């Protein structure tokens, strides 16, 4: 029996706010890079769900990537690095992920 007792959900924005307008992000290439990083680091499977998010009176689509792991694995390190390396494309003020029952939101400081 294998027990994967740690759950991560990574929030991937599909839009960026420019002025007062939400602009669709061309995310396919950098998303494939994230998936490749997960694979290279031993994560064999994950789930991708498209959801409607709401933030500061705005509604928009985003992707949720869910990974189940054992307690000694930490995929959030890969996610944080990926997000910071690609924020020139994503153009976000913060990023978010869930770890078990907690939501972590990290502001991006320039």
């Amino acid at each position: 029996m294998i027990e994967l007792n740690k759950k991560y959900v990574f929030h991937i924005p599909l839009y960026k706010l420019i002025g007062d307008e939400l602009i669709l992000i061309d995310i396919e290439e950098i998303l494939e890079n994230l998936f490749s990083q997960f694979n290279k680091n031993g994560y064999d499977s994950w789930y991708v769900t498209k959801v409607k998010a709401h933030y500061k009176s705005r509604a928009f689509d985003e992707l949720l990537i869910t990974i189940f792991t054992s307690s000694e694995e930490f995929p959030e390190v890969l996610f944080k690095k990926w997000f910071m390396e690609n924020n020139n494309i994503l153009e976000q003020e913060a990023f978010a992920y869930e770890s078990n029952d907690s939501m972590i939101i990290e502001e991006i400081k320039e």
Side-chain angles (χ1 to χ4, degrees):
M1 178 178 90
I2 298 171
E3 181 180 356
L4 303 175
N5 56 6
K6 191 96 168 151
K7 178 183 177 183
Y8 289 92
V9 180
F10 301 108
H11 293 243
I12 308 291
L14 296 179
Y15 290 86
K16 56 188 169 186
L17 184 65
I18 305 294
D20 289 333
E21 187 176 354
L22 287 173
I23 307 293
L24 185 64
I25 300 169
D26 183 14
I27 199 165
E28 291 303 318
E29 185 176 326
I30 64 171
L31 193 57
E32 285 300 320
N33 180 269
L34 178 61
F35 294 162
S36 175
Q37 289 300 312
F38 285 153
N39 266 327
K40 287 179 185 175
N41 285 275
Y43 301 103
D44 296 329
S45 67
W46 53 85
Y47 307 90
V48 179
T49 309
K50 189 173 184 179
V51 298
K52 182 68 73 177
H54 298 266
Y55 179 70
K56 294 186 177 180
S57 301
R58 297 184 297 268
F60 49 90
D61 293 332
E62 73 175 19
L63 297 178
L64 301 180
I65 300 172
T66 304
I67 295 179
F68 291 91
T69 71
S70 65
S71 60
E72 63 272 353
E73 297 175 346
F74 303 100
E76 76 272 21
V77 173
L78 298 172
F79 176 69
K80 289 178 186 183
K81 183 175 188 254
W82 172 85
F83 209 103
M84 297 305 289
E85 288 175 350
N86 291 288
N87 201 42
N88 61 320
I89 296 167
L90 300 167
E91 297 185 43
Q92 303 296 305
E93 59 191 43
F95 61 89
Y97 65 94
E98 301 167 46
S99 177
N100 284 344
D101 293 329
S102 297
M103 171 74 100
I104 295 94
I105 301 169
E106 293 195 29
E107 287 188 32
I108 298 173
K109 304 209 185 332
E110 293 185 33

